[in-house]
């Protein structure tokens, strides 16, 4: 997988922090994974915003709290959120070209519009990418209204065709179960479940315990004999193997290709990489 992302760089990392550039803005944030040394002390002076948990941002420019950036060709509104997030997990830009190729394949087979399901879809990087490419109907599902509103803004920055996206504020599992009952299926499913989800005041789950249900539901709503799944996770390595084995059982080892690969962000000027979970790609063999 090409590790270069247009508009994003991991400039340096180490001593429990990472220094990243998103568009024109350089951000210095904590990173529990960075258990090595910084390579370039001077470059850290270029940070426009420095985050200290639990909720403090120091910015060079007084009134600066949000900005527009083009990441992997997708226009996004980014924001210094009080929890240290910015509205993008850059590793998801790594496999956008694969999603683009899958869209092309479906189009060349005459599937129009291509039916895309984006689950736990956050601020809509993949939704905006797909919507921009035309001839799609993206169903974007997220439990948080705030994330959906942000994603709507991001889609508007990329296309005026707002009818290419259907917005669903709901629990992704409940939504898939409903779609399965109605026999609604999708050509491409993009899914990035969190390690922990609080679905309501009284209900929560960990990805470890929900992986079998999630994988079975995804396969219930995947177009038979043609669908493609991009499943990412940041949990223990076992999640990917559990997901793979359940999928192999469902397809009796035949007719399906499943690849598991690490997602990692390469530093701009070194050979070092920042681990960022894993990607499982499932596609039918034709
Ligand atoms: C992109 S995922 C998390 C990404 C990252 N892989 C992690 O492990 O933290 C976060 C998104 O999932 C949404 N989310 C959490 N639980 C959900 C659920 N049960 N159904 C739908 N969306 C959910 C959140 O609102 C948020 O926008």
């Amino acid at each position: 997988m090409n590790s270069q992302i247009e508009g994003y760089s991991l400039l340096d990392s180490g001593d429990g922090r990472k220094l990243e550039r998103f568009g024109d803005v350089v951000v210095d944030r904590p990173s529990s994974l960075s258990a090595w040394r910084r390579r370039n002390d001077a470059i850290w002076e270029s940070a426009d915003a420095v985050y200290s948990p639990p909720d403090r941002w120091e910015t060079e420019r007084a009134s600066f709290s949000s900005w527009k950036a083009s990441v992997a060709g997708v226009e996004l509104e980014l924001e210094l959120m009080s929890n240290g997030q910015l509205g993008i997990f850059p590793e998801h830009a790594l496999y956008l070209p694969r999603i683009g190729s899958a869209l092309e394949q479906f189009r060349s087979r005459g599937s129009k519009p291509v039916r895309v399901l984006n689950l736990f879809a956050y601020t809509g990087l993949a939704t905006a990418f797909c919507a921009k490419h035309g001839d799609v109907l993206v169903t974007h599902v997220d439990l948080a209204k705030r994330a959906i509103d942000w994603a709507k803004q991001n889609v508007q920055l990329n296309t005026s065709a707002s009818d290419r996206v259907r917005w669903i504020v709901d629990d992704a599992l409940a939504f898939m179960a409903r779609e399965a009952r109605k026999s609604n299926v999708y050509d491409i499913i993009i899914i990035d479940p969190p390690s922990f989800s609080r679905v309501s005041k009284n209900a929560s789950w960990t990805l470890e315990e929900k992986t079998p249900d999630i994988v079975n539901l995804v396969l219930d709503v995947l177009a038979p004999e043609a669908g493609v799944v991009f499943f990412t996770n940041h949990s223990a390595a076992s999640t990917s193997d559990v997901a793979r084995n359940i999928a192999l059982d469902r397809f009796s080892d035949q007719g399906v290709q499943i690849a598991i690969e690490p997602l990692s962000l390469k530093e701009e000027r070194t050979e070092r990489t920042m681990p960022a979970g894993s990607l499982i790609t499932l596609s039918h063999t034709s």
Side-chain angles (χ1 to χ4, degrees):
M1 199 176 317
N2 185 351
S3 61
Q4 297 299 315
I5 302 171
E6 199 192 317
Y8 169 82
S9 303
L10 176 59
L11 299 168
D12 196 10
S13 58
D15 303 324
R17 301 193 68 90
K18 58 186 173 184
L19 187 73
E20 299 164 289
R21 186 176 57 73
F22 296 86
D24 296 334
V25 173
V26 175
V27 180
D28 169 354
R29 290 186 290 171
S31 155
S32 56
L33 295 167
S34 300
W36 44 85
R37 283 184 301 108
R38 294 175 186 198
R39 284 281 177 91
N40 180 350
D41 283 337
I43 200 175
W44 293 76
E45 300 297 324
S46 67
D48 296 296
V50 180
Y51 182 70
S52 308
D55 56 12
R56 206 171 103 243
W57 282 101
E58 276 174 53
T59 53
E60 287 293 298
R61 289 177 244 161
S63 59
F64 152 80
S65 68
S66 64
W67 71 102
K68 287 192 175 53
S70 171
V71 178
V74 181
E75 307 300 318
L76 299 170
E77 178 78 23
L78 301 181
E79 187 182 314
L80 304 176
M81 294 170 75
S82 60
N83 62 4
Q85 289 186 12
L86 305 172
I88 181 173
F89 293 100
E91 58 273 21
H92 297 293
L94 292 168
Y95 58 95
L96 290 179
R98 304 248 187 108
I99 297 176
S101 304
L103 285 172
E104 283 312 316
Q105 270 184 16
F106 279 106
R107 277 199 203 107
S108 65
R109 285 184 214 148
S111 329
K112 283 185 187 177
V114 183
R115 298 161 296 183
V116 177
L117 178 59
N118 189 10
L119 298 157
F120 307 94
Y122 194 47
T123 55
L125 172 71
T127 297
F129 174 84
C130 293
K132 202 177 153 138
H133 283 73
D135 285 330
V136 287
L137 177 59
V138 185
T139 302
H140 175 115
V141 184
D142 199 286
L143 194 54
K145 170 88 171 45
R146 161 134 170 63
I148 296 258
D149 289 343
W150 193 339
K152 282 182 182 170
Q153 228 183 318
N154 284 337
V155 167
Q156 274 169 14
L157 291 175
N158 290 276
T159 174
S160 53
S162 55
D163 57 345
R164 289 189 190 144
V165 186
R166 185 163 72 118
W167 303 101
I168 312 281
V169 184
D170 200 355
D171 169 37
L173 280 71
F175 176 78
M176 285 192 282
R178 272 204 317 278
E179 289 293 84
R181 279 195 296 276
K182 293 188 237 167
S183 303
N184 285 343
V185 294
Y186 295 84
D187 302 311
I188 298 176
I189 299 179
I190 303 159
I191 173 167
D192 178 39
S195 314
F196 174 83
S197 171
R198 179 166 298 286
V199 181
S200 66
K201 238 186 195 171
N202 305 317
S204 60
W205 47 255
T206 63
L207 181 54
E208 203 170 5
E209 68 200 26
K210 272 295 176 207
T211 297
D213 289 350
I214 291 175
V215 175
N216 277 309
L217 283 165
V218 165
L219 297 178
D220 287 345
V221 294
L222 184 67
E225 290 159 33
V228 180
V229 180
F230 297 91
F231 182 122
T232 47
N233 72 89
H234 296 69
S235 306
S238 61
T239 302
S240 298
D241 283 309
V242 171
R244 179 173 179 272
N245 292 345
I246 290 170
L248 285 171
D249 283 351
R250 283 274 295 251
F251 292 97
S252 310
D253 296 330
Q254 304 297 318
V256 68
Q257 264 184 338
I258 305 172
I260 301 177
E261 57 201 301
L263 281 177
S264 56
L265 296 163
K266 188 185 158 302
E267 273 184 358
E268 195 175 61
R269 289 195 176 79
T270 78
E271 289 307 310
R272 302 192 306 188
T273 50
M274 179 75 78
S278 61
L279 168 68
I280 309 172
T281 314
L282 182 150
S283 55
H284 292 271
T285 47
S286 39

